[in-house]
Amino acid sequence: MPTFPPAPATPLLTPADTGWDEARKAWNLAVDQHPAAIALPESAAGVIAAVNFARRHDLRVTAQGTGHGAAPLGPLDGTVLINTSRMRRVSIDPVARTARAEAGAVWADVVSPAAGHGLTGLAGSSPGVGVTGYTLGGGMGWLGRTYGLSANNVEAFEVVTADGQLRYANPASEPDLFWALRGGGGSFGVVTSLELRLFPITEVYAGLLWWPIHRAGEVLHAWRELTHSGLPDEFTTAFRFMRFPALPDVPEPVRGRWFAVVDAIHLGTPAEADALLAPLRGLSPVTDTVQTISMPALGHLHMDPEHPVPSVGDGLMLADLPAEAVSKITVVAGAETGSLLQVVELRHAGGEMKRARPGNGALAALDAEYGLFAVGMAPTPEAASAVGYGVRAVTSAMAPWAAGQMYMNLADTSREACGFWTPQAYERLRRIKAAVDPTDMIRANHPVPPARPALAVTPEGDHAALQPAG
Ligand SMILES: Cc1cc2nc3c(=O)[nH]c(=O)nc-3n(C[C@H](O)[C@H](O)[C@H](O)COP(=O)(O)OP(=O)(O)OC[C@H]3O[C@@H](n4cnc5c(N)ncnc54)[C@H](O)[C@@H]3O)c2cc1C
């Protein structure tokens, strides 16, 4: 193992240090990370020190807030893992309606203080997911059909680029970098903080409808019809096949039992939502928890695991969900399959997330109607391989309806990077990467490779400022 002198201003662990095994754990405990060293910065200065240290030692760097998205990273040989979990400060500006979150903040760190000011942010389904990784990848949350992707609701980033410079990226100061960070992923630098728009929402009408899993087929057909019925953007739903493990820490009423579950979240009046939910309620759910709840409570609605777990999962975006697709997924994920997957989810996308507004970032829109994600617990390599097989059975069954564009936050395996963006956006991302990190020092879980010099030259010369040095 190489030995490194201590870097200034930031704790740096090597494999010989006490605490190494704890520090190298990702939230997804099935991912066994072996970086060359781990930096644990407490501020932007610590991040600069870690990046400079890596450059001086010919190492690469990768940033991680929680490790929810660690599975596609691949081996970390020759890489300094910059773990930002000690940078979780959040401040709310109630007048500007913004939150400034440090890079390691998770959504609960933003949603709770924002609620104190009658505001909320565009969190995803889990309060423990990192604001930064989620937003760099796009960020599809329960309010996304109304307000769009989290990435397209960022005002500014502070980011340390591969040259060790701390840059303030907003539309005026760094238009290209600002554009790339909004949905282009973590390839462009180590974000140290971001400034997010907040919205004046204190409550939503939301909850879950539950059926035993043998009803999944008829419920899913009804849900499909609901999502095809021209729903208002304010109304968001998801359908899940759920299998709760028979483990002691799982609440007794659901322990070891299997269900079909619909999540419903509405930003309008309860009466509007009740009218929309009538066809599903007509199928007599065994439990119906839909009621007015606070925004912090919305974070727990989906029951995502809030502590680290070993899991294997993967997803797809779907262009459509015809009746044939419903029948097919019910065969591979329903009651009869003996599937090992804990969750197979179909989430209704669309709405504002599908509108590529001028001024949006690299992921201007998610051009798909549904997000599909399948996941199971993988505490051992054997379980990981069996669950991986089950995940692939679901994604291959649904492949005929895959959208042309994939979404990196639902991709838990390595994919062809070009599939996440439009061809034009991907080429622009590669040129920006070549300009800010020509030697590809910064690694992301879904990397954008720098443009080769020939690609970086645009005939129009409109990206002259983005040519790689030399
Ligand atoms: C339980 C669960 C629920 C989820 N729910 C949703 C959801 O509702 N909607 C949705 O869109 N996605 C969801 N996701 C996917 C999630 O958004 C991605 O896995 C995302 O990458 C997680 O970000 P993170 O910072 O927590 O993870 P990390 O693994 O820490 O980071 C993921 C990647 O982001 C980049 N990154 C992180 N921090 C930095 C930084 N400071 N600077 C530069 N790059 C950085 C890196 O490339 C890193 O590899 C969910 C995932 C899980 C496991």
Side-chain angles (χ1 to χ4, degrees), residues 22 25-30 66 68 249 305-311 377:
E22 195 52 36
K25 277 186 188 159
W27 182 88
N28 184 348
L29 297 171
T66 67
H68 277 79
D249 59 342
E306 293 182 21
H307 52 83
V309 290
S311 66
M377 291 306 124

Side-chain angles (χ1 to χ4, degrees), residues 144-458:
R145 284 173 45 81
T146 308
Y147 295 111
L149 296 167
S150 177
N152 291 320
N153 286 281
V154 177
E155 300 279 345
F157 295 89
E158 283 176 343
V159 55
V160 177
T161 41
D163 54 7
Q165 263 193 64
L166 178 64
R167 305 187 195 207
Y168 182 75
N170 76 0
S173 62
E174 295 271 2
D176 286 310
L177 190 54
F178 179 65
W179 177 85
L181 291 167
R182 288 178 300 144
S187 295
F188 304 91
V190 180
V191 169
T192 58
S193 72
L194 60 176
E195 207 175 298
L196 307 156
R197 280 180 211 145
L198 299 176
F199 301 87
I201 297 162
T202 53
E203 292 177 336
V204 279
Y205 189 61
L208 306 178
L209 306 178
W210 300 69
W211 294 262
I213 204 166
H214 70 265
R215 306 277 313 275
E218 59 182 312
V219 174
L220 185 49
H221 276 289
W223 179 75
R224 175 195 96 84
E225 278 163 28
L226 177 67
T227 58
H228 278 82
S229 66
L231 290 172
D233 290 350
E234 294 74 19
F235 185 76
T236 300
T237 52
F239 173 91
R240 285 179 287 167
F241 299 89
M242 293 196 81
R243 291 171 164 80
F244 291 88
L247 295 173
D249 59 342
V250 174
E252 200 279 324
V254 296
R255 190 181 303 150
R257 297 180 64 196
W258 300 359
F259 297 92
V261 177
V262 170
D263 300 53
I265 298 96
H266 187 52
L267 278 175
T269 65
E272 285 161 3
D274 288 341
L276 294 167
L277 288 170
L280 286 171
R281 284 185 166 139
L283 296 175
S284 311
V286 290
T287 308
D288 178 343
T289 67
V290 182
Q291 60 186 309
T292 300
I293 58 171
S294 71
M295 297 314 290
L298 180 64
H300 305 286
L301 179 78
H302 201 242
M303 303 174 294
D304 285 342
E306 293 182 21
H307 52 83
V309 290
S311 66
V312 168
D314 210 4
L316 277 185
M317 296 307 288
L318 303 179
D320 197 8
L321 189 69
E324 188 193 347
V326 166
S327 305
K328 202 144 179 200
I329 199 168
T330 307
V331 170
V332 287
E336 311 300 323
T337 54
S339 167
L340 294 173
L341 304 181
Q342 257 71 53
V343 178
V344 176
E345 171 167 1
L346 287 157
R347 202 178 284 191
H348 194 203
E352 185 61 19
M353 291 185 287
K354 205 178 171 188
R355 298 181 192 117
R357 304 267 183 213
N360 280 0
L363 189 62
L366 271 181
D367 190 13
E369 286 298 325
Y370 303 88
L372 164 73
F373 196 76
V375 66
M377 291 306 124
T380 61
E382 296 71 34
S385 130
V387 168
Y389 181 82
V391 168
R392 284 190 298 280
V394 172
T395 52
S396 347
M398 299 306 278
W401 299 282
Q405 184 193 13
M406 286 299 114
Y407 171 44
M408 79 164 69
N409 283 2
L410 292 191
D412 239 9
T413 50
S414 291
R415 304 279 176 87
E416 279 287 321
C418 58
F420 295 127
W421 302 278
T422 64
Q424 297 78 3
Y426 181 57
E427 288 310 320
R428 186 175 171 194
L429 284 170
R430 291 195 62 190
R431 291 196 297 268
I432 295 170
K433 173 74 173 174
V436 294
D437 183 15
T439 63
D440 199 14
M441 178 179 154
I442 313 273
R443 297 182 53 166
N445 58 352
H446 291 293
V448 172
R452 293 185 306 273
L455 268 179
V457 178
T458 60

Side-chain angles (χ1 to χ4, degrees), residues 122-139:
L122 300 183
S125 59
S126 167
V129 162
V131 173
T132 305
Y134 167 92
T135 301
L136 290 172

